[in-house]
Amino acid sequence: MSDFVHPLMSHLLVGANGAGDVVLKNVGEADFVSPFWSWFVIAITVIGFLFCILLLITQLKARTNKAGEAHVQPHEWDETLQEYNNPLPRWWVWMFVITIVFGALYLWMYPGLGAYKGNMGLIDPAYKDGWTEQKQYDVEKAKLDATSKPLYDKFAGMTFAQMAEDKAAMQVGKHLFLNNCAQCHGDAGTGGNGFPNLTDGDWLYGGSPDVIKQTITAGRAGVMPAHGDILGGAEGVNDMANYVLSLSNSAHDAVAAARGKDKFAVCAACHTAAGTGSLSDPTGALAAIGAPNLTDKIWLHGGDMKTLTETISKGRNKSVMPAWDKLLGAERVHVVAAYVWQLNRGDDGKVKNPEK
């Protein structure tokens, strides 16, 4: 494996979430609209520190007991239970002191006293203007980019087929996939209800390298409009659901399916007249619609009668694939797209997706 991979792996989670121009809220910067609130926060914080110091001092003062003699308070409970008045344990005192000192140093280094920006610049010149969440993000991103750039430059010059056979590329791609894509598509890419299976070769928009990269980069927004009213209500929806089931030779009511076939023209505008999906359109005009193939028994939301009735009647308008260009950046999109491309393999281990 490439020597670049080892230092990269420990940062992949940060890198996958910080490759693009992501803007974070600068929680370290004060948003006070008046100097009064800055001084108010400073006063509250300083008073709190002084109170803690005063509390410690008062509790360290000697009591009425003489040296070596334990003083008993003039009260007791349950006849024999008495309370001693001894100094605080030294370990507790030092823990209290360390806590106060740590808090003071923290507020000196980081912005925590109103509009005060801190002194992190004395430790790291990158924070000469004060620490902010955005600044730390930018610094860590720059370090990661410098570490990973040679590796991603190498991958950028490789085709998907070449990367599919490169263990280092696939290990990086897998980590990127697990950190960013597995939440919807599953660890193995087999999808779930409403989330496409990436391993079965059944694509909504296409499985070529360019299309997969485009899908990840810009995202997709698939919409299935409601057809309940268009089909004339529950009976028309039932007829259409049976006809859709008949397209894949699934169990259905043949009489109802025959009635539904006459109304399928409204669906053919996206799914084509044969119901084989928008990718099967020979003109390519429907490719961007993402209408699924209804003949292969592969269902995105479910292929039972109840689910199909709901889909046809109410539609599906939440099939959104978010864009990842800002979050991942072009270099990482290239690698994770290659990983997704090679997930669909035959029994012989060869990738079944088209190379162009």
Side-chain angles (χ1 to χ4, degrees):
M1 183 181 297
S2 171
D3 293 336
F4 292 112
V5 175
H6 293 292
L8 178 61
M9 289 305 169
S10 62
H11 296 87
L12 270 177
L13 182 56
V14 177
N17 291 334
D21 297 328
V22 179
V23 178
L24 306 175
K25 178 174 175 57
N26 298 339
V27 296
E29 294 182 352
D31 290 329
F32 301 109
V33 296
S34 169
F36 166 78
W37 293 111
S38 177
W39 286 107
F40 177 79
V41 172
I42 293 174
I44 292 295
T45 305
V46 172
I47 290 173
F49 266 89
L50 294 177
F51 174 79
C52 291
I53 295 172
L54 180 62
L55 177 66
L56 179 62
I57 293 175
T58 56
Q59 296 305 307
L60 287 176
K61 286 187 175 181
R63 299 299 181 182
T64 57
N65 53 308
K66 298 178 181 180
E69 178 184 24
H71 175 73
V72 180
Q73 295 280 26
H75 47 247
E76 61 183 40
W77 296 270
D78 294 338
E79 299 182 356
T80 59
L81 184 61
Q82 294 178 295
E83 179 184 6
Y84 287 103
N85 188 12
N86 293 323
L88 294 171
R90 289 298 173 186
W91 67 267
W92 190 95
V93 172
W94 282 112
M95 287 290 291
F96 199 87
V97 170
I98 291 172
T99 302
I100 294 176
V101 172
F102 175 83
L105 289 174
Y106 182 90
L107 290 174
W108 177 76
M109 293 174 60
Y110 291 94
L113 294 173
Y116 174 71
K117 294 183 177 296
N119 287 283
M120 272 295 291
L122 298 177
I123 298 176
D124 189 339
Y127 302 104
K128 63 180 181 179
D129 296 325
W131 179 93
T132 66
E133 187 179 34
Q134 181 70 49
K135 177 68 73 173
Q136 181 174 346
Y137 168 84
D138 292 339
V139 170
E140 292 180 358
K141 174 180 175 294
K143 291 179 180 178
L144 175 62
D145 288 345
T147 302
S148 60
K149 188 177 185 304
L151 184 63
Y152 283 113
D153 285 347
K154 171 189 172 184
F155 295 153
M158 299 171 64
T159 65
F160 276 28
Q162 291 171 334
M163 280 193 286
E165 302 303 322
D166 188 292
K167 292 183 178 179
M170 289 300 95
Q171 186 171 356
V172 173
K174 182 178 181 180
H175 277 76
L176 289 170
F177 182 88
L178 292 176
N179 288 333
N180 299 279
C181 313
Q183 291 83 349
C184 294
H185 294 284
D187 292 351
T190 50
N193 187 23
F195 304 104
N197 184 342
L198 305 176
T199 68
D200 59 7
D202 189 67
W203 297 95
L204 296 176
Y205 299 93
S208 66
D210 288 343
V211 174
I212 294 176
K213 286 177 66 173
Q214 176 64 20
T215 298
I216 297 174
T217 299
R220 300 288 185 181
V223 177
M224 161 73 181
H227 283 71
D229 294 338
I230 298 174
L231 295 173
E235 184 177 352
V237 169
N238 180 72
D239 292 344
M240 185 59 68
N242 276 282
Y243 178 68
V244 170
L245 287 172
S246 73
L247 292 175
S248 59
N249 293 320
S250 300
H252 63 280
D253 183 330
V255 176
R259 293 195 299 264
K261 182 178 181 180
D262 296 334
K263 302 177 181 179
F264 190 74
V266 70
C267 309
C270 293
H271 294 279
T272 73
T276 49
S278 57
L279 285 181
S280 65
D281 175 29
T283 68
L286 301 179
I289 295 179
N293 183 351
L294 304 177
T295 68
D296 58 7
K297 293 187 178 181
I298 297 177
W299 305 97
L300 185 59
H301 299 280
D304 59 280
M305 189 65 183
K306 179 180 178 181
T307 303
L308 277 177
T309 299
E310 180 181 349
T311 299
I312 296 171
S313 176
K314 300 179 180 180
R316 300 286 180 180
N317 59 5
K318 296 183 179 180
S319 299
V320 178
M321 159 75 178
W324 291 88
D325 57 334
K326 295 295 184 183
L327 200 59
L328 292 180
E331 299 85 357
R332 289 169 176 80
V333 166
H334 182 67
V335 178
V336 74
Y339 177 78
V340 170
W341 177 80
Q342 60 82 45
L343 287 175
N344 180 33
R345 293 177 179 264
D347 295 335
D348 57 358
K350 294 182 179 181
V351 179
K352 297 171 66 177
N353 289 322
E355 294 188 26
K356 295 183 180 180

